[in-house]
Structures are given as structure tokens and as C-alpha cells.
Amino acid sequence: MLDFIIKRLIQVVVVVLLALTVVFFLIRLSGDPTALFLPPDASREQIEDYREMLGFDRPIYIQYGEFMVNAVQGDFGQSLRSKEDALPLVLSRLPATFQLAISALILSLLIAIPLGVLSAYKRNSVFDRISVALTVLGQAVPSFWLGLILIYFFAAQLNILPSGGAGSIVHLILPMITLAAYSVARFTRFTRSTMLDVLRKDYIRTAKASGVPTIRLVGRYALKNSLIPIITLVALDLGTLLGGAVITEVVFAWPGVGRLLMQSLMNRDFPIVLAGVFIVALIYAVINFIADILYAYVNPQIRVK
């Protein structure tokens, strides 16, 4: 088990470093941002002095080496626009992103698990067909389009919910629904598939033939044995929600890491982008690491892979 944990820890480090490396070179390909932070009438000498101060005049491999040395020490530099330290600024937006992602995850589970269980138990019924159709639709609808439709009906037409921002639980409703829509569809299909496999087992048939009540049969025997793969998917999906909240945060002006990253990309604020990528990649890798450890603890065969 210790060897398995060490291997997974090494993978976490490699994933984070690779993510930083790829993003570092990609944003450098977008061009020199120096001119964006100087007055339009800045002279050539002023531009060159500013580039030298920021270190953009040096070869790209030297910039990369200095960046990685500082990054492993938690120093991502200062925002080119606000002059604030990049990492603390990103961390200050993290609670809002966690609030949105965890709320969406809880909503997804509250809807998807009962829906998936009922769909599996009533396989090939009208309810099952409608449920499957809705899950396909939920996975096909783009989140930005769904967010705009919700804003149009509930904010613009009915005027019962705010169209964006944060501050109260009411502001959370529309972005939470938008972010949860895809996960609801995904969890429902996965729960249905897992439950169908369990319901075909011999011990379920035996329990049913013995007269075990339906609620007890489904809830205690079938669902309980379906939870391990569902828990694994939940752990992985939390990382996906945290990393995929960018569009939802932009649509609803939610003050999270995703919106900050999008604004920084548009402004070519490289330190903020790299600090944000580091945090998102680290969280995603750590969540996957914890899921792997828990799964290996439950199923020892995983450790030898």
C-alpha cells in the first residue's frame, strides 16, 4: 500500500508540473503583454525598460527556469494589472468556487441517485425511457446556453432570481443548477447502469424470491453494493466541477477562480493565469489521488496495477 501511495504522489507532482509547463509556453505564444500595461503614447525606450523589468526580454528557456524555481516555492509573482501577489489573489477566490462546485455536486446526487435507481428498477418502462432521454439531453446541452436560458426566464421575464453576482443563497440557485445539469445526467446514467448490473446478481434474485420487500431489496442490498463505483465517480466529478466552473462563473459573474482566470487570460495577466492553473491542477490531482487511495483500500487488486 505504501508503494502504491508513493507512486500516486509522484503522479500528482508530475501532473501539476506538466500542466504548469504547457500553460507557461501556451500563454507565451499569445504575444508580449507589455504594451497593454503602458500608456498608448509610451516610447520605445519605455516599452523596452518595462519588458526588462518584467523579464520578458530574456530567452524563453531562462524565463521558464526562473518561473519553475519560484513556483515550487509558492511564488508566482505579482499581477501585472493590480500589482497584488498572484497566489494569494487566486486563493481568495477559491471559497466561492468551492461553494458553487460542492452545491452543484450535492444537488446532482440528490436528483441523480433516486432517478437512476428508479430508472433501473423500472427498466424499459415509460419512466425509464423518459429518464434516459432527459439524461442524453442533459449531457448534450451546453452549459453557457442553459445558463442564458435560465437568466432569461427566471431573471429577465419572471424577475424572481438575480441574473448574477454573489452575496446570498438566492444568487447561488441559477449557477448551481447550470453547473449541476451535466453531472445530474452523468450520475443518473451511471447509477442506472450500475444498478442494472447489481439487480442481475443471483443474491438479488434469491432475496426477491424470499419475499424481501421492494424498498429493502433496492435500498439495502442493490444500492448499497452499487455505491463503491458511484463514490469513485463522485470524487472524480468534484475535480471536474471545480475545473469546469469557468463558463458558469463567467455567465453569472460569480466571483470564483474560473472568472478570475478568464479575465486574466483576456488581459494577458500571466502570473494570475499560472497561479490559477496551479491551484486548479493541484486540487484536481489531489482529489484523484484521494479517490485512488480509497478505491485501493476497498479493492486491494488495484494496488498491483
Side-chain angles (χ1 to χ4, degrees):
M1 187 66 180
L2 181 60
D3 291 340
F4 179 81
I5 293 175
I6 292 173
K7 290 178 181 178
R8 289 297 185 268
L9 279 174
I10 293 173
Q11 289 179 3
V12 168
V13 174
V14 171
V15 166
V16 174
L17 292 179
L18 283 176
L20 283 176
T21 300
V22 171
V23 174
F24 177 88
F25 286 103
L26 284 178
I27 60 177
R28 286 300 190 275
L29 292 174
S30 66
D32 190 341
T34 305
L36 297 176
F37 303 99
L38 290 174
D41 58 348
S43 65
R44 183 66 182 175
E45 290 76 14
Q46 289 176 316
I47 294 176
E48 291 299 328
D49 289 342
Y50 193 63
R51 290 185 72 249
E52 183 178 355
M53 184 183 71
L54 296 177
F56 292 150
D57 61 321
R58 284 170 286 185
I60 188 68
Y61 62 88
I62 293 180
Q63 294 183 45
Y64 172 72
E66 291 180 350
F67 163 73
M68 292 303 295
V69 170
N70 292 328
V72 296
Q73 302 176 58
D75 180 12
F76 288 83
Q78 291 184 332
S79 167
L80 301 179
R81 186 165 294 273
S82 67
K83 305 304 179 184
E84 298 180 66
D85 288 338
L87 189 58
L89 181 58
V90 172
L91 291 175
S92 69
R93 299 292 189 96
L94 199 56
T97 297
F98 266 113
Q99 181 186 18
L100 177 59
I102 292 175
S103 300
L105 181 63
I106 293 173
L107 178 64
S108 302
L109 294 175
L110 290 176
I111 296 174
I113 291 181
L115 195 61
V117 170
L118 287 174
S119 184
Y121 186 75
K122 297 180 178 294
R123 183 185 181 189
N124 294 328
S125 65
V126 174
F127 177 86
D128 181 37
R129 295 179 188 278
I130 294 175
S131 175
V132 171
L134 289 176
T135 58
V136 172
L137 181 64
Q139 290 184 296
V141 172
S143 59
F144 72 89
W145 184 85
L146 177 61
L148 293 175
I149 292 297
L150 292 177
I151 290 174
Y152 175 76
F153 280 106
F154 292 99
Q157 296 296 316
L158 300 178
N159 198 26
I160 58 176
L161 291 172
S163 61
S168 66
I169 191 66
V170 177
H171 292 83
L172 181 63
I173 295 175
L174 291 184
M176 176 180 64
I177 294 173
T178 301
L179 188 59
Y182 180 84
S183 293
V184 169
R186 185 182 182 194
F187 285 144
T188 301
R189 295 187 68 179
F190 190 79
T191 302
R192 178 183 180 276
S193 176
T194 306
M195 282 291 296
L196 286 175
D197 289 339
V198 174
L199 289 173
R200 296 191 187 101
K201 301 293 184 182
D202 291 339
Y203 70 89
I204 295 294
R205 296 194 185 97
T206 302
K208 188 175 182 179
S210 301
V212 176
T214 301
I215 295 179
R216 186 180 178 187
L217 177 71
V218 174
R220 182 174 179 180
Y221 296 101
L223 180 59
K224 183 178 180 181
N225 290 298
S226 302
L227 285 179
I228 290 178
I230 293 174
I231 290 172
T232 303
L233 183 63
V234 167
L236 298 177
D237 207 67
L238 177 58
T240 303
L241 287 172
L242 288 168
V246 176
I247 296 176
T248 303
E249 290 184 4
V250 171
V251 170
F252 292 96
W254 186 260
V257 174
R259 184 165 179 252
L260 177 64
L261 277 176
M262 186 61 69
Q263 292 172 334
S264 300
L265 278 170
M266 294 178 66
N267 295 326
R268 294 186 184 176
D269 199 340
F270 295 167
I272 299 296
V273 173
L274 290 167
V277 168
F278 168 74
I279 292 298
V280 172
L282 181 63
I283 292 174
Y284 190 85
V286 168
I287 290 174
N288 277 269
F289 169 74
I290 294 173
D292 285 343
I293 298 304
L294 292 176
Y295 206 44
Y297 179 77
V298 174
N299 185 1
Q301 293 180 347
I302 301 295
R303 305 175 198 173
V304 300
K305 294 183 179 180

